[in-house]
Short mmCIF file of all heavy atoms in Angstrom, two decimals:
data_model
loop_
_atom_site.label_atom_id
_atom_site.label_comp_id
_atom_site.label_asym_id
_atom_site.label_seq_id
_atom_site.Cartn_x
_atom_site.Cartn_y
_atom_site.Cartn_z
N GLU V 219 104.64 128.20 77.40
CA GLU V 219 105.35 127.03 77.25
C GLU V 219 105.36 126.45 75.80
O GLU V 219 106.37 126.00 75.26
CB GLU V 219 104.75 125.98 78.19
CG GLU V 219 105.53 125.63 79.44
CD GLU V 219 104.87 124.59 80.16
OE1 GLU V 219 104.91 123.42 79.75
OE2 GLU V 219 104.41 124.88 81.31
N ALA V 220 104.23 126.55 75.11
CA ALA V 220 104.06 126.01 73.80
C ALA V 220 104.97 126.83 72.83
O ALA V 220 105.60 126.31 71.93
CB ALA V 220 102.62 126.05 73.32
N ALA V 221 104.93 128.13 73.04
CA ALA V 221 105.75 129.09 72.21
C ALA V 221 107.29 128.74 72.38
O ALA V 221 108.07 128.74 71.45
CB ALA V 221 105.51 130.49 72.54
N LYS V 222 107.67 128.47 73.64
CA LYS V 222 109.08 128.18 73.94
C LYS V 222 109.43 126.91 73.22
O LYS V 222 110.51 126.74 72.72
CB LYS V 222 109.32 128.11 75.43
CG LYS V 222 109.26 129.42 76.09
CD LYS V 222 109.45 129.24 77.62
CE LYS V 222 109.32 130.56 78.34
NZ LYS V 222 109.45 130.31 79.81
N MET V 223 108.57 125.81 73.31
CA MET V 223 108.87 124.59 72.66
C MET V 223 109.09 124.69 71.27
O MET V 223 109.98 124.24 70.68
CB MET V 223 107.70 123.62 72.94
CG MET V 223 107.85 122.25 72.34
SD MET V 223 106.48 121.26 72.23
CE MET V 223 105.30 122.22 71.16
N LEU V 224 108.11 125.46 70.49
CA LEU V 224 108.28 125.65 69.08
C LEU V 224 109.56 126.36 68.75
O LEU V 224 110.23 125.98 67.80
CB LEU V 224 107.08 126.38 68.49
CG LEU V 224 105.70 125.58 68.49
CD1 LEU V 224 104.62 126.48 68.10
CD2 LEU V 224 105.75 124.26 67.77
N LYS V 225 109.84 127.42 69.56
CA LYS V 225 111.11 128.14 69.30
C LYS V 225 112.32 127.28 69.42
O LYS V 225 113.32 127.35 68.60
CB LYS V 225 111.17 129.34 70.11
CG LYS V 225 112.35 130.31 69.81
CD LYS V 225 112.21 131.56 70.50
CE LYS V 225 113.39 132.58 70.02
NZ LYS V 225 113.14 133.87 70.39
N SER V 226 112.35 126.41 70.49
CA SER V 226 113.44 125.55 70.74
C SER V 226 113.67 124.46 69.55
O SER V 226 114.78 124.03 69.35
CB SER V 226 113.42 124.86 72.04
OG SER V 226 112.38 123.82 72.01
N LEU V 227 112.62 124.20 68.95
CA LEU V 227 112.67 123.25 67.79
C LEU V 227 112.84 123.97 66.47
O LEU V 227 112.83 123.32 65.38
CB LEU V 227 111.28 122.37 67.69
CG LEU V 227 111.14 121.53 68.85
CD1 LEU V 227 109.72 120.92 68.80
CD2 LEU V 227 112.16 120.39 68.97
N ASN V 228 113.01 125.22 66.48
CA ASN V 228 113.25 126.08 65.35
C ASN V 228 112.00 126.03 64.35
O ASN V 228 112.12 125.91 63.14
CB ASN V 228 114.58 125.76 64.61
CG ASN V 228 114.97 126.75 63.61
OD1 ASN V 228 114.64 127.93 63.84
ND2 ASN V 228 115.65 126.39 62.53
N ILE V 229 110.85 126.00 64.91
CA ILE V 229 109.55 126.03 64.19
C ILE V 229 109.06 127.42 64.25
O ILE V 229 108.44 127.83 65.24
CB ILE V 229 108.58 124.96 64.65
CG1 ILE V 229 109.22 123.55 64.53
CG2 ILE V 229 107.33 125.03 63.88
CD1 ILE V 229 108.36 122.44 65.13
N GLU V 230 109.26 128.17 63.16
CA GLU V 230 108.74 129.54 63.09
C GLU V 230 107.98 129.70 61.74
O GLU V 230 108.11 128.89 60.84
CB GLU V 230 109.92 130.47 63.19
CG GLU V 230 110.65 130.38 64.47
CD GLU V 230 111.93 131.29 64.49
OE1 GLU V 230 112.43 131.66 63.45
OE2 GLU V 230 112.37 131.54 65.65
N GLY V 231 107.22 130.79 61.69
CA GLY V 231 106.41 130.94 60.53
C GLY V 231 105.15 130.16 60.58
O GLY V 231 104.73 129.71 61.56
N LYS V 232 104.58 130.06 59.37
CA LYS V 232 103.36 129.23 59.24
C LYS V 232 103.69 127.79 59.49
O LYS V 232 104.42 127.13 58.81
CB LYS V 232 102.77 129.47 57.90
CG LYS V 232 101.35 129.00 57.71
CD LYS V 232 100.70 129.45 56.38
CE LYS V 232 99.35 129.04 56.33
NZ LYS V 232 98.70 129.45 55.05
N ASN V 233 102.98 127.20 60.43
CA ASN V 233 103.22 125.78 60.83
C ASN V 233 101.93 125.16 61.35
O ASN V 233 100.98 125.74 61.61
CB ASN V 233 104.37 125.68 61.84
CG ASN V 233 104.00 126.44 63.16
OD1 ASN V 233 103.25 125.84 63.91
ND2 ASN V 233 104.57 127.54 63.41
N MET V 234 102.07 123.81 61.48
CA MET V 234 100.96 123.05 61.99
C MET V 234 101.42 121.95 62.87
O MET V 234 102.46 121.33 62.79
CB MET V 234 100.17 122.40 60.75
CG MET V 234 99.10 121.48 61.23
SD MET V 234 97.88 121.00 59.83
CE MET V 234 99.05 120.68 58.49
N ILE V 235 100.68 121.78 63.97
CA ILE V 235 100.89 120.64 64.95
C ILE V 235 99.86 119.65 64.77
O ILE V 235 98.58 119.97 64.78
CB ILE V 235 100.88 121.24 66.35
CG1 ILE V 235 102.03 122.31 66.54
CG2 ILE V 235 101.11 120.06 67.39
CD1 ILE V 235 101.98 123.04 67.79
N VAL V 236 100.27 118.44 64.42
CA VAL V 236 99.28 117.32 64.23
C VAL V 236 99.43 116.25 65.42
O VAL V 236 100.48 115.91 65.76
CB VAL V 236 99.59 116.61 62.93
CG1 VAL V 236 98.59 115.52 62.67
CG2 VAL V 236 99.62 117.58 61.74
N ALA V 237 98.28 115.95 65.96
CA ALA V 237 98.27 114.96 67.08
C ALA V 237 97.00 114.04 66.80
O ALA V 237 96.16 114.40 66.11
CB ALA V 237 98.19 115.66 68.42
N ALA V 238 97.06 112.92 67.46
CA ALA V 238 95.93 111.98 67.38
C ALA V 238 94.70 112.68 68.01
O ALA V 238 93.63 112.58 67.47
CB ALA V 238 96.19 110.71 68.09
N ASN V 239 94.88 113.34 69.14
CA ASN V 239 93.83 114.07 69.86
C ASN V 239 94.50 115.23 70.65
O ASN V 239 95.62 115.10 70.99
CB ASN V 239 93.13 113.14 70.83
CG ASN V 239 92.21 112.18 70.17
OD1 ASN V 239 91.28 112.56 69.46
ND2 ASN V 239 92.44 110.93 70.40
N PHE V 240 93.65 116.26 70.92
CA PHE V 240 94.17 117.35 71.64
C PHE V 240 93.28 117.43 72.92
O PHE V 240 92.02 117.39 72.74
CB PHE V 240 94.05 118.68 70.95
CG PHE V 240 95.08 118.78 69.82
CD1 PHE V 240 94.80 118.46 68.54
CD2 PHE V 240 96.38 119.20 70.00
CE1 PHE V 240 95.68 118.58 67.45
CE2 PHE V 240 97.32 119.25 69.04
CZ PHE V 240 96.96 118.98 67.73
N GLU V 241 93.83 117.68 74.08
CA GLU V 241 93.04 118.00 75.32
C GLU V 241 92.60 119.50 75.12
O GLU V 241 93.23 120.28 74.46
CB GLU V 241 93.94 117.90 76.48
CG GLU V 241 94.52 116.41 76.75
CD GLU V 241 93.36 115.42 77.03
OE1 GLU V 241 92.37 115.85 77.66
OE2 GLU V 241 93.51 114.35 76.55
N ASN V 242 91.59 119.84 75.88
CA ASN V 242 91.05 121.17 75.84
C ASN V 242 92.12 122.21 76.17
O ASN V 242 92.23 123.31 75.52
CB ASN V 242 89.86 121.38 76.82
CG ASN V 242 88.57 120.70 76.25
OD1 ASN V 242 88.53 120.55 75.01
ND2 ASN V 242 87.71 120.40 77.09
N ASN V 243 93.01 121.98 77.20
CA ASN V 243 93.97 122.98 77.56
C ASN V 243 95.06 123.07 76.52
O ASN V 243 95.60 124.13 76.27
CB ASN V 243 94.60 122.64 78.87
CG ASN V 243 95.29 121.23 78.92
OD1 ASN V 243 94.99 120.36 78.11
ND2 ASN V 243 96.19 121.11 79.94
N GLU V 244 95.38 122.03 75.76
CA GLU V 244 96.29 122.04 74.59
C GLU V 244 95.73 122.89 73.42
O GLU V 244 96.42 123.66 72.86
CB GLU V 244 96.58 120.65 74.19
CG GLU V 244 97.40 119.81 75.17
CD GLU V 244 97.51 118.37 74.74
OE1 GLU V 244 96.52 117.83 74.08
OE2 GLU V 244 98.58 117.82 75.04
N LYS V 245 94.44 122.69 73.26
CA LYS V 245 93.74 123.52 72.19
C LYS V 245 93.80 125.02 72.47
O LYS V 245 94.06 125.71 71.57
CB LYS V 245 92.33 123.10 72.10
CG LYS V 245 92.04 121.72 71.39
CD LYS V 245 90.50 121.46 71.40
CE LYS V 245 90.27 120.07 70.87
NZ LYS V 245 88.79 119.76 70.90
N ARG V 246 93.59 125.35 73.76
CA ARG V 246 93.71 126.76 74.10
C ARG V 246 95.02 127.29 73.98
O ARG V 246 95.29 128.36 73.42
CB ARG V 246 93.13 126.97 75.46
CG ARG V 246 91.59 126.88 75.56
CD ARG V 246 91.11 127.39 76.90
NE ARG V 246 91.62 126.60 78.06
CZ ARG V 246 90.91 125.54 78.56
NH1 ARG V 246 89.77 125.26 78.07
NH2 ARG V 246 91.51 124.91 79.57
N ALA V 247 96.02 126.56 74.50
CA ALA V 247 97.43 127.07 74.50
C ALA V 247 97.94 127.21 73.06
O ALA V 247 98.53 128.23 72.68
CB ALA V 247 98.28 126.20 75.30
N LEU V 248 97.75 126.15 72.30
CA LEU V 248 98.25 126.19 70.90
C LEU V 248 97.48 127.08 70.00
O LEU V 248 97.99 127.59 69.08
CB LEU V 248 98.28 124.73 70.36
CG LEU V 248 99.24 123.84 71.03
CD1 LEU V 248 99.05 122.34 70.66
CD2 LEU V 248 100.65 124.23 71.00
N GLY V 249 96.14 127.14 70.26
CA GLY V 249 95.28 127.97 69.40
C GLY V 249 95.60 129.49 69.54
O GLY V 249 95.33 130.22 68.64
N ASN V 250 96.29 129.88 70.59
CA ASN V 250 96.67 131.26 70.78
C ASN V 250 97.96 131.61 70.09
O ASN V 250 98.31 132.84 70.12
CB ASN V 250 96.78 131.52 72.32
CG ASN V 250 95.47 131.60 72.97
OD1 ASN V 250 94.47 131.92 72.34
ND2 ASN V 250 95.47 131.26 74.25
N LEU V 251 98.66 130.75 69.50
CA LEU V 251 99.95 131.04 68.83
C LEU V 251 99.72 131.43 67.45
O LEU V 251 98.91 130.92 66.72
CB LEU V 251 100.80 129.73 68.83
CG LEU V 251 101.16 129.16 70.24
CD1 LEU V 251 101.99 127.87 69.96
CD2 LEU V 251 102.04 130.19 70.97
N ALA V 252 100.34 132.64 67.09
CA ALA V 252 100.18 133.17 65.80
C ALA V 252 100.82 132.16 64.80
O ALA V 252 101.85 131.68 65.02
CB ALA V 252 100.86 134.54 65.68
N LYS V 253 100.14 132.10 63.55
CA LYS V 253 100.74 131.27 62.52
C LYS V 253 100.83 129.79 62.82
O LYS V 253 101.48 129.06 62.16
CB LYS V 253 101.95 131.85 62.01
CG LYS V 253 101.88 133.18 61.44
CD LYS V 253 103.20 133.67 60.89
CE LYS V 253 103.08 135.12 60.48
NZ LYS V 253 104.42 135.58 59.86
N THR V 254 100.12 129.38 63.87
CA THR V 254 100.13 127.88 64.16
C THR V 254 98.76 127.32 64.22
O THR V 254 97.78 127.91 64.79
CB THR V 254 100.71 127.67 65.66
OG1 THR V 254 102.07 128.22 65.67
CG2 THR V 254 100.74 126.25 66.04
N LYS V 255 98.59 126.27 63.38
CA LYS V 255 97.31 125.52 63.23
C LYS V 255 97.44 124.25 63.98
O LYS V 255 98.59 123.61 63.91
CB LYS V 255 96.96 125.40 61.80
CG LYS V 255 95.66 124.73 61.60
CD LYS V 255 95.24 124.63 60.13
CE LYS V 255 93.97 123.92 60.11
NZ LYS V 255 93.12 124.18 59.03
N ILE V 256 96.45 123.83 64.60
CA ILE V 256 96.35 122.48 65.14
C ILE V 256 95.39 121.70 64.36
O ILE V 256 94.41 122.15 63.87
CB ILE V 256 96.04 122.43 66.70
CG1 ILE V 256 94.68 123.07 66.96
CG2 ILE V 256 97.06 123.20 67.42
CD1 ILE V 256 94.17 122.93 68.40
N GLN V 257 95.73 120.40 64.14
CA GLN V 257 94.87 119.46 63.36
C GLN V 257 95.02 118.04 63.96
O GLN V 257 96.06 117.57 64.22
CB GLN V 257 95.42 119.55 61.96
CG GLN V 257 94.55 118.75 61.00
CD GLN V 257 93.16 119.29 60.88
OE1 GLN V 257 93.05 120.56 60.82
NE2 GLN V 257 92.18 118.42 60.74
N LYS V 258 93.83 117.44 63.96
CA LYS V 258 93.91 115.99 64.41
C LYS V 258 94.27 115.21 63.15
O LYS V 258 93.92 115.51 62.06
CB LYS V 258 92.38 115.58 64.80
CG LYS V 258 91.96 116.10 66.20
CD LYS V 258 90.51 115.68 66.47
CE LYS V 258 90.40 114.17 66.51
NZ LYS V 258 89.10 113.72 66.97
N ALA V 259 95.06 114.17 63.45
CA ALA V 259 95.61 113.29 62.34
C ALA V 259 94.51 112.68 61.51
O ALA V 259 94.66 112.64 60.33
CB ALA V 259 96.50 112.20 62.91
N SER V 260 93.36 112.35 62.10
CA SER V 260 92.30 111.74 61.35
C SER V 260 91.60 112.70 60.40
O SER V 260 90.96 112.32 59.46
CB SER V 260 91.25 111.19 62.35
OG SER V 260 90.72 112.22 63.18
N ASN V 261 91.83 114.06 60.56
CA ASN V 261 91.19 115.02 59.73
C ASN V 261 92.21 115.67 58.74
O ASN V 261 91.88 116.58 58.02
CB ASN V 261 90.61 116.11 60.55
CG ASN V 261 89.44 115.53 61.27
OD1 ASN V 261 88.69 114.62 60.99
ND2 ASN V 261 89.12 116.20 62.52
N LEU V 262 93.43 115.23 58.77
CA LEU V 262 94.52 115.88 58.00
C LEU V 262 94.27 115.68 56.46
O LEU V 262 93.85 114.53 56.09
CB LEU V 262 95.93 115.25 58.38
CG LEU V 262 97.13 115.93 57.87
CD1 LEU V 262 97.16 117.40 58.44
CD2 LEU V 262 98.39 115.16 58.28
N ASN V 263 94.57 116.65 55.76
CA ASN V 263 94.48 116.44 54.22
C ASN V 263 95.62 117.10 53.47
O ASN V 263 96.48 117.84 54.08
CB ASN V 263 93.06 117.09 53.69
CG ASN V 263 93.01 118.55 53.94
OD1 ASN V 263 93.98 119.33 53.53
ND2 ASN V 263 92.00 119.03 54.57
N VAL V 264 95.82 116.85 52.25
CA VAL V 264 96.96 117.23 51.47
C VAL V 264 97.08 118.75 51.45
O VAL V 264 98.24 119.26 51.56
CB VAL V 264 96.93 116.70 49.99
CG1 VAL V 264 98.04 117.15 49.20
CG2 VAL V 264 96.92 115.17 50.10
N TYR V 265 96.03 119.45 51.27
CA TYR V 265 96.10 120.90 51.28
C TYR V 265 96.79 121.49 52.54
O TYR V 265 97.68 122.31 52.42
CB TYR V 265 94.75 121.51 51.07
CG TYR V 265 94.71 123.00 51.07
CD1 TYR V 265 95.16 123.85 50.00
CD2 TYR V 265 94.36 123.66 52.31
CE1 TYR V 265 95.21 125.14 50.09
CE2 TYR V 265 94.40 125.10 52.31
CZ TYR V 265 94.85 125.78 51.28
OH TYR V 265 94.90 127.20 51.33
N GLU V 266 96.28 120.99 53.69
CA GLU V 266 96.90 121.52 54.87
C GLU V 266 98.45 121.14 55.05
O GLU V 266 99.17 121.90 55.55
CB GLU V 266 96.07 120.92 56.08
CG GLU V 266 94.72 121.51 56.16
CD GLU V 266 93.86 120.82 57.13
OE1 GLU V 266 94.13 119.67 57.48
OE2 GLU V 266 92.94 121.50 57.64
N VAL V 267 98.78 120.02 54.57
CA VAL V 267 100.19 119.54 54.63
C VAL V 267 101.04 120.54 53.81
O VAL V 267 102.08 121.09 54.21
CB VAL V 267 100.35 118.14 54.19
CG1 VAL V 267 101.88 117.79 54.09
CG2 VAL V 267 99.68 117.18 55.18
N LEU V 268 100.52 120.83 52.53
CA LEU V 268 101.35 121.63 51.66
C LEU V 268 101.27 123.14 51.99
O LEU V 268 102.17 123.87 51.56
CB LEU V 268 100.88 121.42 50.23
CG LEU V 268 101.03 120.03 49.67
CD1 LEU V 268 100.41 119.81 48.31
CD2 LEU V 268 102.53 119.65 49.57
N ASN V 269 100.25 123.51 52.79
CA ASN V 269 100.09 124.95 52.97
C ASN V 269 100.83 125.41 54.22
O ASN V 269 100.54 126.49 54.69
CB ASN V 269 98.49 125.22 53.17
CG ASN V 269 98.24 126.67 53.08
OD1 ASN V 269 98.78 127.43 52.30
ND2 ASN V 269 97.19 127.10 53.74
N ASN V 270 101.65 124.59 54.87
CA ASN V 270 102.42 125.04 55.99
C ASN V 270 103.85 124.78 55.82
O ASN V 270 104.31 123.87 55.07
CB ASN V 270 101.88 124.20 57.24
CG ASN V 270 100.56 124.62 57.71
OD1 ASN V 270 100.43 125.58 58.36
ND2 ASN V 270 99.53 123.80 57.33
N LYS V 271 104.66 125.69 56.28
CA LYS V 271 106.17 125.65 56.22
C LYS V 271 106.74 124.43 56.86
O LYS V 271 107.53 123.74 56.36
CB LYS V 271 106.72 126.97 56.63
CG LYS V 271 108.21 127.10 56.45
CD LYS V 271 108.70 128.43 56.88
CE LYS V 271 110.18 128.49 56.66
NZ LYS V 271 110.67 129.85 57.06
N LYS V 272 106.22 124.25 58.12
CA LYS V 272 106.70 123.11 58.87
C LYS V 272 105.56 122.49 59.68
O LYS V 272 104.58 123.03 59.95
CB LYS V 272 107.72 123.64 59.99
CG LYS V 272 109.08 124.11 59.28
CD LYS V 272 110.12 124.31 60.39
CE LYS V 272 111.35 124.81 59.69
NZ LYS V 272 112.48 125.18 60.60
N MET V 273 105.82 121.21 60.00
CA MET V 273 104.77 120.37 60.75
C MET V 273 105.47 119.72 61.90
O MET V 273 106.60 119.17 61.80
CB MET V 273 104.11 119.35 59.85
CG MET V 273 103.15 119.89 58.85
SD MET V 273 102.47 118.64 57.77
CE MET V 273 101.97 117.43 58.97
N LEU V 274 104.82 119.68 63.04
CA LEU V 274 105.22 118.94 64.23
C LEU V 274 104.16 117.83 64.37
O LEU V 274 103.01 118.15 64.52
CB LEU V 274 105.26 119.79 65.46
CG LEU V 274 105.63 119.03 66.75
CD1 LEU V 274 107.10 118.52 66.69
CD2 LEU V 274 105.55 120.06 67.86
N VAL V 275 104.53 116.58 64.33
CA VAL V 275 103.62 115.41 64.25
C VAL V 275 104.03 114.53 65.48
O VAL V 275 105.24 114.08 65.65
CB VAL V 275 103.70 114.64 63.00
CG1 VAL V 275 102.66 113.55 62.99
CG2 VAL V 275 103.49 115.58 61.79
N THR V 276 103.02 114.20 66.30
CA THR V 276 103.27 113.31 67.49
C THR V 276 103.34 111.84 66.95
O THR V 276 102.84 111.43 65.86
CB THR V 276 102.19 113.37 68.49
OG1 THR V 276 100.93 112.93 67.95
CG2 THR V 276 102.04 114.83 68.97
N LYS V 277 103.96 110.96 67.78
CA LYS V 277 104.10 109.60 67.46
C LYS V 277 102.70 109.00 67.27
O LYS V 277 102.43 108.15 66.36
CB LYS V 277 104.83 108.83 68.52
CG LYS V 277 106.33 109.05 68.55
CD LYS V 277 107.07 108.25 69.64
CE LYS V 277 108.49 108.68 69.73
NZ LYS V 277 109.17 107.91 70.78
N GLU V 278 101.67 109.33 68.11
CA GLU V 278 100.39 108.83 68.04
C GLU V 278 99.74 109.15 66.77
O GLU V 278 98.95 108.46 66.19
CB GLU V 278 99.55 109.27 69.29
CG GLU V 278 100.07 108.70 70.60
CD GLU V 278 101.21 109.41 71.18
OE1 GLU V 278 101.54 110.56 70.75
OE2 GLU V 278 101.79 108.91 72.08
N ALA V 279 100.00 110.44 66.25
CA ALA V 279 99.41 110.94 65.07
C ALA V 279 99.91 110.15 63.87
O ALA V 279 99.21 109.87 62.94
CB ALA V 279 99.71 112.31 64.83
N ILE V 280 101.26 109.72 63.90
CA ILE V 280 101.77 109.02 62.80
C ILE V 280 101.15 107.60 62.69
O ILE V 280 100.80 107.13 61.74
CB ILE V 280 103.34 108.83 63.01
CG1 ILE V 280 104.07 110.23 62.75
CG2 ILE V 280 103.93 107.82 62.07
CD1 ILE V 280 105.45 110.22 63.09
N LYS V 281 100.91 107.03 63.88
CA LYS V 281 100.19 105.72 63.93
C LYS V 281 98.80 105.89 63.32
O LYS V 281 98.34 105.04 62.54
CB LYS V 281 100.08 105.20 65.40
CG LYS V 281 101.38 104.75 65.94
CD LYS V 281 101.25 104.34 67.39
CE LYS V 281 102.60 103.97 67.95
NZ LYS V 281 102.48 103.69 69.40
N THR V 282 98.08 106.96 63.65
CA THR V 282 96.78 107.21 63.07
C THR V 282 96.84 107.37 61.59
O THR V 282 96.02 106.83 60.81
CB THR V 282 96.12 108.41 63.73
OG1 THR V 282 96.04 108.16 65.20
CG2 THR V 282 94.78 108.73 63.17
N LEU V 283 97.82 108.13 61.07
CA LEU V 283 98.03 108.37 59.66
C LEU V 283 98.28 107.03 58.95
O LEU V 283 97.80 106.80 57.91
CB LEU V 283 99.10 109.37 59.40
CG LEU V 283 98.86 110.77 59.85
CD1 LEU V 283 100.09 111.63 59.77
CD2 LEU V 283 97.74 111.39 59.06
N GLU V 284 99.13 106.22 59.56
CA GLU V 284 99.46 104.89 58.98
C GLU V 284 98.22 104.08 58.89
O GLU V 284 97.99 103.43 57.80
CB GLU V 284 100.54 104.24 59.72
CG GLU V 284 101.87 104.87 59.59
CD GLU V 284 102.93 104.20 60.56
OE1 GLU V 284 102.55 103.54 61.50
OE2 GLU V 284 104.10 104.32 60.31
N GLU V 285 97.47 104.04 59.89
CA GLU V 285 96.17 103.29 59.79
C GLU V 285 95.18 103.76 58.81
O GLU V 285 94.59 103.01 58.03
CB GLU V 285 95.48 103.25 61.23
CG GLU V 285 96.25 102.47 62.28
CD GLU V 285 95.66 102.73 63.70
OE1 GLU V 285 94.57 103.30 63.78
OE2 GLU V 285 96.30 102.31 64.64
N ASN V 286 95.11 105.10 58.73
CA ASN V 286 94.20 105.68 57.64
C ASN V 286 94.66 105.34 56.24
O ASN V 286 93.93 105.20 55.36
CB ASN V 286 94.12 107.18 57.85
CG ASN V 286 93.32 107.60 59.09
OD1 ASN V 286 92.67 106.76 59.61
ND2 ASN V 286 93.43 108.82 59.40
N LEU V 287 96.04 105.34 55.98
CA LEU V 287 96.52 105.05 54.63
C LEU V 287 96.54 103.60 54.33
O LEU V 287 96.51 103.31 53.13
CB LEU V 287 98.00 105.60 54.62
CG LEU V 287 98.08 107.12 54.64
CD1 LEU V 287 99.50 107.55 54.70
CD2 LEU V 287 97.39 107.74 53.47
N LYS V 288 96.51 102.72 55.24
CA LYS V 288 96.52 101.35 54.88
C LYS V 288 95.26 100.85 54.21
O LYS V 288 95.33 100.03 53.27
CB LYS V 288 96.53 100.40 56.24
CG LYS V 288 97.85 100.29 56.87
CD LYS V 288 97.90 99.44 58.03
CE LYS V 288 99.23 99.39 58.69
NZ LYS V 288 99.21 98.66 59.99
N GLY V 289 94.11 101.49 54.44
CA GLY V 289 92.88 101.24 53.81
C GLY V 289 92.84 101.81 52.38
O GLY V 289 91.96 101.47 51.57
N LYS V 290 93.73 102.62 52.01
CA LYS V 290 93.81 103.34 50.66
C LYS V 290 94.73 102.66 49.70
O LYS V 290 94.99 103.18 48.60
CB LYS V 290 94.12 104.75 50.88
CG LYS V 290 93.05 105.42 51.75
CD LYS V 290 93.12 106.89 51.74
CE LYS V 290 92.18 107.41 52.86
NZ LYS V 290 91.23 108.25 52.46
N GLU V 291 95.40 101.63 50.00
CA GLU V 291 96.33 100.98 49.10
C GLU V 291 95.67 100.19 48.06
O GLU V 291 94.64 99.60 48.15
CB GLU V 291 97.27 99.99 49.92
CG GLU V 291 98.15 100.73 50.87
CD GLU V 291 99.02 99.78 51.68
OE1 GLU V 291 98.85 98.49 51.62
OE2 GLU V 291 99.93 100.32 52.41
#
């Protein structure tokens, strides 16, 4: 299912999926995909962003990233 989802979104090659949290079954399913890295939004860094061709970011992850960046202004 995860591979089909990425293919339907035209996400191929080295990519990263960013979420606020991952359930254990999501970690297993996504972790088995070649060239796909999973990352919690709270642990995201510039190197990981720049080191991937494409990123898929959940709405919850965007909220987490916004909260983290507010304190750095």
